[in-house]
Amino acid sequence: MVKLFSAVVSIYIFAACQAVASESYLDLAEVRSFIDNFSEQHAYPKSSLTALIGNVKKQVQVLDAIRRPAEKKKNWREYREIFITTKRINEGLQFWAQNAVVLDAAERQFGIPPEIIVAIIGVESFYGRYKGRYPVLDSLVTLGFEYEPRKKFFRSELEHFLLLAKEEALDPSAIKGSYAGAMGKSQFISSSYRRYAVDFDENGKRDLWESNADAIGSVANYLKEHGWQMGQPVTFPVTVKGERYKTLLEMGLKPAAPIFELSRYGIQPHDELPTEKGEVALLEFKKDHSSEYWIGMNNFYVITRYNHSSMYAMAVYQLSQQVKQDFKDYVAQN
């Protein structure tokens, strides 16, 4: 009887393994519908797309990562310690020095300070060191058909990705990126790549993986298109008292309160106001047992369009200021 039971269990396990092994996204009606619609709308060979998606492997790690993003578990002190490091600052100085001509050209054309571009590439990919290890096609299919909260968004990104690969003559099955499908040194998602990437080295292609010039120009173009104001401040620290300041916190990241009204809310800048005009947002950065408060200007908000996180934007800003502060000395010594 025990032998019979064991045999039955073995057969069941074998059958289950075979079923898992034979699973394909092509078995899903909504995937087949996506293939039909995309092929028809974009004159994309249906057989090619079917073969591509037929070879996709479900990315369980991607689903786990997007459901539990690391930054949600960290406070500002922990988050800052990841990005404001001696190593990242030093490599930022090297990156700036090696690409100074291109960074100056980007500033002239797009109006974005070199230190901001350097910091974004530093935070996004450690200057190209970490460009992602997940197959982008597999990630986008997995998220587009299995991640219920944002299926629509990731299916749209899948469409953009397939079109991007066609436009740039790329092999869609060979491209790797972040778990959410961001690619290259600047970590653009597919729609941003298609819309904002530029051929800044003028060699006939937009290459965010290998071309520093294209990465630099594309970041600059992205920030300009999202409303960067040349020569304007980004953020400054403040002290809060009372309870009225909480009203501003509830307004979110987008500047909405006139800067000259800060005192009404019990908000006191550490130094003189950098400007008397414009609208601002109040930002709270929680640490272990306290919080620090900053005022976000329009340019701070623009940085959050790259990643909708105040901690991300502050990490970019503080890294940029440290690199800028050290750059003249670095050049003089090298």
Side-chain angles (χ1 to χ4, degrees):
M1 189 70 176
V2 172
K3 290 183 178 179
L4 177 61
F5 177 76
S6 298
V8 171
V9 170
S10 297
I11 292 171
Y12 175 81
I13 291 174
F14 176 78
C17 289
Q18 289 293 100
V20 170
S22 65
E23 279 184 2
S24 168
Y25 278 106
L26 296 178
D27 295 334
L28 299 179
E30 55 185 342
V31 171
R32 297 195 298 272
S33 177
F34 172 88
I35 292 172
D36 289 340
N37 293 335
F38 185 87
S39 299
E40 183 177 347
Q41 290 175 15
H42 301 290
Y44 197 103
K46 183 177 177 180
S47 58
S48 298
L49 185 53
T50 300
L52 271 176
I53 294 182
N55 287 324
V56 163
K57 294 180 175 60
K58 179 177 177 178
Q59 298 296 300
V60 176
Q61 287 181 309
V62 164
L63 290 169
D64 290 342
I66 203 165
R67 287 168 180 153
R68 293 190 296 272
E71 57 267 28
K72 295 292 185 183
K73 304 174 184 177
K74 301 183 185 303
N75 63 27
W76 169 234
R77 179 192 60 76
E78 295 167 327
Y79 190 89
R80 187 182 189 280
E81 287 176 353
I82 296 172
F83 298 106
I84 316 299
T85 65
T86 299
K87 186 173 183 179
R88 204 176 298 254
I89 292 166
N90 288 340
E91 293 205 19
L93 294 170
Q94 294 174 31
F95 183 86
W96 190 342
Q98 292 165 1
N99 297 279
V101 173
V102 178
L103 286 160
D104 288 345
E107 183 175 24
R108 288 193 302 272
Q109 181 169 336
F110 301 105
I112 312 301
E115 65 269 18
I116 295 294
I117 300 172
V118 170
I120 284 181
I121 295 175
V123 169
E124 288 291 340
S125 68
F126 213 137
Y127 310 104
R129 185 191 297 270
Y130 306 122
K131 289 174 281 195
R133 58 188 177 88
Y134 299 95
V136 173
L137 176 64
D138 294 30
S139 295
L140 293 177
V141 171
T142 298
L143 294 169
F145 295 97
E146 303 229 28
Y147 184 53
E148 201 65 43
R150 301 190 71 190
K151 274 187 174 182
K152 184 177 180 181
F153 170 78
F154 284 111
R155 285 190 200 179
S156 174
E157 286 303 309
L158 175 59
E159 289 192 31
H160 280 291
F161 175 71
L162 293 166
L163 293 172
L164 172 68
K166 183 179 180 181
E167 293 161 357
E168 302 292 333
L170 302 170
D171 178 0
S173 63
I175 299 172
K176 292 187 177 181
S178 74
Y179 68 78
M183 298 169 285
K185 296 182 179 185
S186 53
Q187 289 291 281
F188 275 13
I189 58 174
S190 300
S191 56
S192 293
Y193 201 128
R194 294 186 70 215
R195 183 171 180 180
Y196 302 111
V198 297
D199 175 20
F200 207 53
D201 58 14
E202 299 182 336
N203 70 346
K205 59 182 179 180
R206 303 179 298 172
D207 180 2
L208 300 185
W209 288 273
E210 302 300 330
S211 172
N212 285 341
D214 287 0
I216 288 166
S218 298
V219 169
N221 185 48
Y222 185 97
L223 295 176
K224 179 185 177 182
E225 290 296 318
H226 281 81
W228 184 275
Q229 296 174 353
M230 185 169 57
Q232 294 302 305
V234 177
T235 184
F236 57 91
V238 295
T239 301
V240 301
K241 61 180 180 179
E243 297 290 327
R244 296 193 66 187
Y245 74 89
K246 294 179 181 179
T247 303
L248 291 192
L249 284 178
E250 293 169 358
M251 293 183 183
L253 288 172
K254 189 169 184 179
I259 192 170
F260 61 81
E261 290 188 355
L262 289 179
S263 60
R264 287 185 51 220
Y265 294 93
I267 300 170
Q268 179 64 46
H270 291 189
D271 300 305
E272 289 186 17
L273 287 174
T275 179
E276 295 180 356
K277 297 184 295 184
E279 295 183 324
V280 298
L282 178 63
L283 312 165
E284 180 181 27
F285 296 91
K286 295 180 179 180
K287 298 185 289 187
D288 297 329
H289 304 292
S290 63
S291 293
E292 57 183 72
Y293 297 89
W294 292 69
I295 289 298
M297 310 291 288
N298 172 77
N299 286 346
F300 187 92
Y301 181 70
V302 170
I303 297 173
T304 69
R305 299 307 85 197
Y306 214 105
N307 180 317
H308 298 184
S309 160
S310 60
M311 289 198 297
Y312 169 87
M314 184 59 76
V316 165
Y317 175 72
Q318 292 192 359
L319 178 60
S320 78
Q321 296 309 290
Q322 190 63 59
V323 171
K324 180 182 179 181
Q325 177 181 311
D326 295 347
F327 185 64
K328 286 185 179 180
D329 288 341
Y330 178 84
V331 171
Q333 294 168 8
N334 291 273

